[in-house]
Amino acid sequence: MSEPRRVLTAHWDDPSVIPLAGYEAAGGYRALRTALGMSADELIQLVKDSGLRGRGGAGFPTGMKWSFVPRNTGKPTYVTVNFDESEPGTCNNRELVEREPHALIEGAAIAARAIDCHLAYIYIRGEYLWQGQVLQRALDEAYAVGYLGRDIMGGDYDLDIVLHRGAGAYICGEETALLSSLEGFRGQPRLRPPFPAVEGLYESPTVINNVETLMNVPHIVNNGAEWFKAVGTEKAPGTKMFTISGKVERPGNYELPMGTPFRVLLEEHGGGVLGGKAIKAWTPGGSSTPFLTADHLEVGLDFESVMEAGSLLGTGAIMVLDESDCMVEAARRLVEFYAHESCGKCTPCREGTWWATRVLGRIEGGYGRDEDLPLMADVGENILFRAFCALADGAVSPIQSTLQHFMDEYEAHIREGRCPVTGKGPGHHDAEPAPDAVTFATTGPFEIQGAPT
């Protein structure tokens, strides 16, 4: 098994780094002290030179995002940590914070210093109760010794960090919905531009970064840009936390260099497909990214390589499906999630995802019709890129990618009136025939056309 350089997980086997004393003994807060002696321009240039890209999904260059924050506007500037980790299959940020909470605080403090921010927020997923306690304890420790608060580390820089608990909505992982929620409003996305860097929290310049992104920053300050670029790919340097789950022998979080072939993660670290079965499909970056197949095992896990293969790296959450899984059912379950989590602001998302679940359920349930296949493709096209945020686009991914790679399964469901993989026939789950298959009967209240007797 290959053993790449561990950066974010270097101390995972040492629980003594969770409290402040242990973190300091391991070199913690040395980077913040260095950063306080640097100018904002120097810090931003260092992160730019490192090539660090956001780990939350978009992969935008972090230093460039920081540089977009205007100065001397007369408004305060804010740093907001996106810890609303709600993408199905994703749990790397949770474990990063559990095992080294002060690394996030240090990274957020350095980011704040870079944009002259004096009040930062950590927006944490509502369901992360334990992680919230761990983080709050770490914040209290940092305040107690002067790493946060007034004149931190004896200098003239003030910084407060507030832990804000969300209410548990997937949409609040979208940065503008997160800002709305943080301001006390319903978590719904905003039209962009203006982008948050110019007009974000309370209409003030705001940098929003993912947990993993910020936890890389202290290492870059300590070791330099060239050190960071020594691993990974030219366009995506550094390591990445990959979460692998589903039909694998050893699910979990693994830190690997960007660009590592998926086969290495699956076989050397994940232990291979559960039970020795054949892999059928996998998501490179969570449920919102298009499925890839067994033909893509050699794809490098970096932004460009995954995109070239027809998907997105996203959060690096890889869900594995094996030969015994029904792809129509997989698509239906994922789209149901997005229909449930749609905030309702945009009609294509609110209505389209609901209708997609009905048609997918009809096909899966054995009531599918030939016209359902072009109908599904049409529904997908009329949702994609027609909403304020990427939730709708994510909902389309399982539809379009399963139609692309597993059309034969859809056709077999319709032709045979049952699942060709599992053998399950009509009525095996709670999916109902879509509403347009229901009509009034002459002698009874309702009659379902085409339903088996």
Side-chain angles (χ1 to χ4, degrees), residues 73-409:
T73 63
K75 297 180 178 180
T77 57
Y78 296 102
V79 166
T80 301
V81 182
N82 189 344
F83 192 11
D84 192 69
E85 188 177 54
S86 304
E87 178 82 359
T90 307
C91 58
N92 55 3
N93 287 345
R94 181 184 68 183
E95 194 163 10
L96 282 169
V97 169
E98 286 176 349
R99 293 178 179 266
E100 206 166 356
H102 282 283
L104 174 60
I105 296 171
E106 187 175 13
I110 295 171
R113 173 67 174 176
I115 66 164
D116 194 28
C117 158
H118 299 281
L119 177 58
Y121 291 90
I122 300 175
Y123 188 102
I124 185 172
R125 177 182 176 180
E127 291 88 342
Y128 280 3
L129 299 177
W130 167 246
Q131 293 74 20
Q133 293 175 10
V134 170
L135 207 44
Q136 187 59 61
R137 187 183 307 127
L139 286 168
D140 294 341
E141 289 180 322
Y143 270 104
V145 299
Y147 291 156
L148 294 176
R150 298 287 302 272
D151 301 330
I152 64 176
M153 293 188 172
D156 58 357
Y157 180 64
D158 303 338
L159 175 64
D160 287 305
I161 298 182
V162 175
L163 181 66
H164 181 93
R165 298 176 188 273
Y170 173 79
I171 186 61
C172 289
E174 195 279 334
E175 60 179 17
T176 60
L178 183 155
L179 294 176
S180 295
S181 174
L182 198 54
E183 292 174 356
F185 298 105
R186 183 175 180 180
Q188 289 190 317
R190 303 173 181 175
L191 184 64
R192 292 172 292 183
F195 291 94
V198 176
E199 189 174 307
L201 188 64
Y202 307 123
E203 299 183 350
S204 297
T206 303
V207 159
I208 305 175
N209 283 137
N210 167 267
V211 167
E212 183 183 346
T213 307
L214 290 174
M215 291 179 82
N216 273 288
V217 171
H219 298 285
I220 293 171
V221 173
N222 280 332
N223 300 291
E226 294 305 317
W227 169 87
F228 187 75
K229 292 193 294 186
V231 298
T233 68
E234 181 179 355
K235 294 182 178 179
T239 62
K240 173 83 183 80
M241 294 295 300
F242 295 101
T243 305
I244 187 166
S245 64
K247 301 296 183 60
V248 292
E249 292 286 349
R250 294 193 295 271
N253 291 312
Y254 298 93
E255 182 182 13
L256 297 171
M258 281 280 197
T260 299
F262 169 60
R263 182 191 295 277
V264 173
L265 172 62
L266 173 66
E267 298 181 355
E268 295 189 18
H269 300 274
V273 180
L274 189 66
K277 293 184 178 179
I279 187 172
K280 187 173 188 178
W282 57 286
T283 64
S287 63
S288 64
T289 58
F291 280 109
L292 296 179
T293 70
D295 294 332
H296 300 101
L297 293 182
E298 303 302 333
V299 169
L301 296 174
D302 61 86
F303 301 105
E304 283 71 27
S305 299
V306 174
M307 183 175 290
E308 187 177 347
S311 188
L312 298 166
L313 187 64
T315 61
I318 293 163
M319 297 187 292
V320 176
L321 282 70
D322 71 23
E323 57 191 321
S324 67
D325 290 312
C326 169
M327 296 309 298
V328 179
E329 179 183 9
R332 192 258 304 168
R333 286 178 177 273
L334 291 178
V335 178
E336 279 185 348
F337 169 81
Y338 290 102
H340 179 270
E341 293 294 333
S342 173
C343 74
K345 183 168 185 172
C346 308
T347 303
C349 177
R350 181 186 65 242
E351 306 294 333
T353 54
W354 185 85
W355 276 104
T357 64
R358 303 290 288 181
V359 179
L360 284 167
R362 180 166 67 199
I363 297 171
E364 184 193 355
Y367 304 102
R369 304 172 301 196
D370 291 337
E371 56 267 35
D372 283 341
L373 297 179
L375 175 61
M376 284 304 307
D378 184 65
V379 169
E381 291 175 0
N382 281 285
I383 296 175
L384 190 65
F385 304 137
R386 287 176 168 78
F388 270 70
C389 76
L391 186 149
D393 304 337
V396 172
S397 289
I399 299 172
Q400 293 188 327
S401 59
T402 52
L403 286 172
Q404 176 187 356
H405 297 298
F406 302 99
M407 178 62 82
D408 57 333
E409 279 197 31

Side-chain angles (χ1 to χ4, degrees), residues 13-33:
D13 298 328
D14 180 12
S16 72
V17 301
I18 297 174
L20 178 61
Y23 184 68
E24 289 176 314
Y29 287 106
R30 183 163 54 89
L32 177 57
R33 189 176 298 280

